[in-house]
Amino acid sequence: MAGIVCRTVNRIVSSQASCISSVVAVRNSHWFTSMLSLKTSVPLRAEPKKKKKVDPRREIMMKERLKKKLKRLEKVPPELIPIEDFITSAKSFDETRIREAPELSFEESERRAHLLKEWSRYKRTQHQMEMDVIQEALEAQRQALDELKLESEELYKAAFSPDTDVFPFQHEGPSYTPPNTNYEAPEGKFNDITRVYTQ
Amino acid sequence: MAAPFTRVSRPLWRIITTTTSNGGVRNVSYTRQQWSAQNVKTAGAAASPWALHGAVCVQRLPVVSQDRSPIEEKFMELMQQMELERSLLADHELKLLDDAARMSRKQEEDYDSDEEEDYKDKEIVTAQDLEDIWEQKLKEFQPALRTQGVNQKDVSSSERCLTDSLILLVKKDIGSQKLWLLPQIQWQMGETLRQTAERALASLPGADLKATFLGNAPCGFYKYKYPKDIQKEGSVGAKVFFFKAVLSSHKHLPLEKNSFAWVKKDELQDFLKPEYLKQVRRFIMAL
């Protein structure tokens, strides 16, 4: 019992001594505050930073600079879509594809020249006839409208007003053979290889 | 298809005459407007002595292309030949040449199949085989005949003469005679002349024709005076205004033979009276 008391007293004394020594150690360094206060580290206890007033302005300036750079990049005109029809493909310049041009005899070239001239004459008369027919039809229509005007103004105005229903006008033109009744076209599939460009 | 040697250009004299004729036409119409304005003022609300009729010129446009004339045939051949001469070899033709070359190489004695570059173990479908396959497929298809079985003289069928445009004629009683005319009907108050023409088309007995009218304006007119005994005070004669329409649906039941006719432009003279024909011919364009 006494031994136990002694030991505890010794422990207390030794702890007190260590406390004292630790207290002494605390007072000497800044790393340790008193045991009684809250445990805090040095950076937490440091003096508060002085905020520079220029900082928010600097951030705004940075953002503006980035925006200007983006605008400059966007201002570049978009790349033009190539028109496929205007580009001669490399196949046209292939030398293995040149056809041997046949030599035309004198009679053949004469015949061709004569035929071309006859054709131009034929086409000219055809064009003349077409123009005459069209002029005749227009004249007939003009006279009809004049007569209608003599008759009544209202009807004339109704005839003169534009017709909105006639356009878009669709009509199947003449083909080589007439349409086959009861014809079922076979279903076919195809691969569409057209190139689609986006700007 | 233009000829490369000559250019078809309008000669100068033609341009001058057309401008002067246009100038002349303008003068005439101006004086007519003045006269008609005066007429309206003096006449006031008096009804004109002319009865108005609306008529419709229904055309069945050609279904099949026309046959080529001899010069057109010759020119077509020449153009095809010239285009062929000036062209380059196509892929298909190159394949044909390659196959022919390979065939000739195979016939030679010192033929070594290992020297062939591309075609070692694969099955070869030559270009000639492809051509034969395509021809076979074409023969399997039977197109309809250009001249259909319908008799070309049967005027009541709308399937005759598929290469030309046909016009509908109707036999009507006018006074005491039966005449062939374009379908017409009397104008009623409160409707435009185009509506009259549509009514004329719809009121044809036994015909279910759908047509698209081309515009509000009439394309021609014809005026005739009644014979003296029928002429009363206030009705001197009639004016018929024609409207053009294009037949839209193609399937029709055959119409009665004696009252309807589908007629080409050159056959019109067999059906219409001379004066009437003269006016009608002007606006029917059969080129």
Side-chain angles (χ1 to χ4, degrees):
Chain A
M1 184 84 146
I4 299 165
V5 168
C6 268
R7 250 178 269 138
T8 48
V9 165
N10 278 340
R11 257 191 229 132
I12 290 162
V13 167
S14 60
S15 66
Q16 274 188 349
S18 65
C19 267
I20 291 166
S21 64
S22 69
V23 162
V24 167
V26 158
R27 278 193 201 135
N28 286 343
S29 83
H30 59 278
W31 293 109
F32 303 107
T33 50
S34 62
M35 288 294 160
L36 299 171
S37 63
L38 290 171
K39 198 169 176 183
T40 51
S41 60
V42 172
L44 197 58
R45 283 178 274 118
E47 201 184 282
K49 260 196 229 172
K50 283 187 194 151
K51 265 211 169 157
K52 297 181 194 172
K53 282 188 190 164
V54 195
D55 262 344
R57 252 184 261 168
R58 270 181 78 183
E59 281 170 15
I60 292 166
M61 289 295 284
M62 289 282 287
K63 279 184 199 168
E64 277 177 25
R65 259 180 256 156
L66 282 171
K67 276 185 204 166
K68 276 188 191 169
K69 278 186 192 167
L70 275 173
K71 273 190 198 169
R72 247 181 262 158
L73 284 171
E74 277 166 15
K75 266 192 190 170
V76 169
E79 206 180 289
L80 298 170
I81 298 173
I83 302 173
E84 307 246 331
D85 292 336
F86 291 172
I87 306 166
T88 39
S89 63
K91 280 187 184 177
S92 316
F93 301 112
D94 195 2
E95 280 179 2
T96 56
R97 289 178 185 252
I98 296 176
R99 207 184 280 271
E100 297 154 1
E103 284 200 20
L104 296 172
S105 64
F106 177 69
E107 285 95 16
E108 178 62 23
S109 58
E110 283 288 308
R111 181 195 78 98
R112 284 189 183 186
H114 276 297
L115 185 55
L116 289 166
K117 291 190 182 179
E118 264 187 57
W119 177 255
S120 78
R121 268 177 239 134
Y122 172 76
K123 270 294 179 186
R124 187 185 179 277
T125 42
Q126 201 182 53
H127 181 256
Q128 207 74 309
M129 286 194 313
E130 283 176 12
M131 288 293 122
D132 291 339
V133 162
I134 290 170
Q135 282 297 322
E136 189 68 33
L138 282 176
E139 182 64 24
Q141 190 180 54
R142 194 194 57 81
Q143 283 180 358
L145 282 172
D146 284 345
E147 287 286 320
L148 188 56
K149 201 162 185 196
L150 291 178
E151 282 297 307
S152 83
E153 277 294 322
E154 301 169 11
L155 291 177
Y156 177 75
K157 274 186 194 154
F160 217 68
S161 58
D163 185 17
T164 47
D165 296 329
V166 71
F167 294 118
F169 178 69
Q170 278 193 357
H171 177 72
E172 292 276 323
S175 49
Y176 189 66
T177 52
N180 211 345
T181 48
N182 313 323
Y183 177 68
E184 286 173 20
E187 273 188 33
K189 52 174 187 165
F190 56 93
N191 294 328
D192 197 4
I193 54 167
T194 43
R195 285 192 194 165
V196 177
Y197 295 97
T198 46
Q199 280 197 319
Chain B
M1 291 262 267
F5 294 124
T6 51
R7 285 204 83 217
V8 179
S9 56
R10 286 176 89 199
L12 197 62
W13 63 269
R14 191 134 175 105
I15 297 167
I16 293 167
T17 44
T18 44
T19 45
T20 47
S21 66
N22 280 341
V25 155
R26 239 180 275 133
N27 287 339
V28 166
S29 60
Y30 188 58
T31 50
R32 267 231 163 124
Q33 279 172 17
Q34 287 177 326
W35 180 72
S36 65
Q38 285 172 9
N39 206 16
V40 163
K41 281 182 201 157
T42 50
S48 68
W50 300 94
L52 289 181
H53 293 261
V56 62
C57 165
V58 192
Q59 274 189 315
R60 189 227 64 193
L61 296 177
V63 176
V64 166
S65 57
Q66 287 179 336
D67 289 321
R68 281 180 279 267
S69 64
I71 184 168
E72 282 177 351
E73 279 281 358
K74 280 195 267 177
F75 189 72
M76 189 182 83
E77 280 173 25
L78 174 64
M79 277 294 113
Q80 283 177 351
Q81 221 179 338
M82 282 173 79
E83 280 177 18
L84 190 66
E85 283 167 14
R86 293 179 190 186
S87 65
L88 296 172
L89 292 170
D91 293 337
H92 184 73
E93 286 183 302
L94 279 181
K95 272 192 210 154
L96 278 171
L97 289 174
D98 283 340
D99 292 340
R102 208 167 358 103
M103 280 290 131
S104 61
R105 264 181 288 159
K106 268 191 184 170
Q107 312 305 345
E108 281 173 30
E109 290 173 349
D110 51 349
Y111 173 68
D112 192 1
S113 70
D114 296 335
E115 284 179 356
E116 293 292 332
E117 288 177 350
D118 305 319
Y119 308 95
K120 285 199 182 161
D121 299 319
K122 300 180 212 164
E123 249 189 60
I124 299 167
V125 182
T126 55
Q128 194 62 47
D129 294 338
L130 282 174
E131 277 191 21
D132 295 332
I133 292 167
W134 297 333
E135 271 207 55
Q136 281 294 313
K137 271 197 183 168
L138 180 63
K139 279 181 191 164
E140 284 168 28
F141 172 69
Q142 292 297 326
L145 297 169
R146 271 164 69 85
T147 50
Q148 300 239 296
V150 178
N151 182 14
Q152 301 298 319
K153 301 289 179 186
D154 179 19
V155 202
S156 67
S157 160
S158 71
E159 310 289 328
R160 67 184 286 252
C161 297
L162 293 173
T163 53
D164 305 299
S165 54
L166 300 176
I167 295 159
L168 183 65
L169 292 182
V170 170
K171 204 166 196 180
K172 215 172 159 185
D173 305 341
I174 302 268
S176 50
Q177 327 163 22
K178 284 206 170 189
L179 295 176
W180 282 104
L181 304 168
L182 297 179
Q184 73 185 49
I185 208 166
Q186 182 124 18
W187 171 74
Q188 287 167 357
M189 286 289 282
E191 63 175 5
T192 62
L193 276 171
R194 180 182 157 154
Q195 286 164 356
T196 320
E198 284 167 357
R199 205 159 49 90
L201 188 61
S203 66
L204 289 175
D208 180 27
L209 303 168
K210 301 258 164 56
T212 357
F213 277 77
L214 307 172
N216 284 332
C219 57
F221 86 104
Y222 173 67
K223 70 181 180 195
Y224 61 96
K225 289 193 178 164
Y226 295 140
K228 291 279 177 180
D229 42 347
I230 301 180
Q231 266 188 34
K232 300 170 245 176
E233 287 184 12
S235 72
V236 172
K239 276 190 187 174
V240 188
F241 287 93
F242 298 100
F243 286 81
K244 263 200 183 171
V246 165
L247 201 65
S248 37
S249 59
H250 198 61
K251 302 253 168 94
H252 304 299
L253 305 167
L255 309 165
E256 289 174 47
K257 277 203 177 178
N258 287 326
S259 43
F260 294 91
W262 288 101
V263 170
K264 293 193 279 192
K265 188 176 177 182
D266 12 336
E267 292 170 358
L268 278 175
Q269 61 231 32
D270 302 330
F271 289 80
L272 301 178
K273 294 267 166 181
E275 281 298 316
Y276 193 72
L277 174 67
K278 200 172 119 182
Q279 292 296 323
V280 164
R281 277 179 82 109
R282 293 175 78 195
F283 57 80
I284 294 176
M285 300 200 273
L287 297 160

